[in-house]
Amino acid sequence: GDSVTQMEGPVTLSEEAFLTINCTYTATGYPSLFWYVQYPGEGLQLLLKATKADDKGSNKGFEATYRKETTSFHLEKGSVQVSDSAVYFCALSPPPNYGGATNKLIFGTGTLLAVQP
Amino acid sequence: GAGVSQSPRYKVAKRGQDVALRCDPISGHVSLFWYQQALGQGPEFLTYFQNEAQLDKSGLPSDRFFAERPEGSVSTLKIQRTQQEDSAVYLCASGIRAGNTIYFGEGSWLTVV
């Protein structure tokens, strides 16, 4: 079945360091891909998404490119801040004709990012 | 408020007790989802509504779990005869219509003792 694998955490970085969180997926067809973020004490928030191969999603300085050939959607940021400390989830949504419920999300296990001043 | 609202935020239940978790989606949102998030794991899909119709309940782990959305707005997730393995955060999410971005509530934390 469809699945998402992301790098285990915690990832600990100093402020202004470069961030990469790896995410790979297994899916039938062409899923949509997402990164969600969960700040301490808050609900899941959509960070960025990409709906087709070679699309780049971006938001708040974060970027991820949909790579069909490597089935990857790695999250990157050039210079992290303390306020970026959170848990990051990679997720996919199967295309409607494969996955049943539209927008049904399949999540990875999450990666905790801790940014130190 | 403008977001998805869930209640109670925290619930401690004795094993065998029935619980009901409520979700108030964003007004006018057609799609509504329930997810279960165990400690240290990503959310896992439970069930999906489009208006009042439950179109997918393939993720419900057993017949002790039941969800409804009778008027196409508020939804309730009911767990009968709770077990320790039901301890998790239950997340509700809504979307303006099928295929659009969904918005999550803060979750209901259930602990079964």
Side-chain angles (χ1 to χ4, degrees), chain A residues 74-95:
Chain A
H74 304 321
L75 182 68
E76 296 181 335
K77 186 175 185 182
S79 177
V80 294
Q81 305 300 313
V82 172
S83 57
D84 294 327
S85 298
V87 181
Y88 292 81
F89 292 92
C90 186
L92 70 83
S93 180

Side-chain angles (χ1 to χ4, degrees), chain A residues 20-95:
Chain A
T20 300
I21 300 178
N22 289 338
C23 172
T24 57
Y25 67 90
T26 301
T28 304
Y30 291 84
S32 295
L33 301 174
F34 305 82
W35 277 100
Y36 278 82
V37 59
Q38 190 169 36
Y39 297 104
E42 298 185 16
L44 278 168
Q45 301 175 24
L46 177 64
L47 181 59
L48 53 85
K49 68 178 183 181
T51 58
K52 60 183 187 294
D54 300 324
D55 267 2
K56 179 185 284 187
S58 61
N59 186 27
K60 299 181 182 179
F62 291 88
E63 293 183 341
T65 301
Y66 190 143
R67 301 287 188 199
K68 182 66 177 176
E69 63 276 12
T70 54
T71 62
S72 65
F73 193 56
H74 304 321
L75 182 68
E76 296 181 335
K77 186 175 185 182
S79 177
V80 294
Q81 305 300 313
V82 172
S83 57
D84 294 327
S85 298
V87 181
Y88 292 81
F89 292 92
C90 186
L92 70 83
S93 180

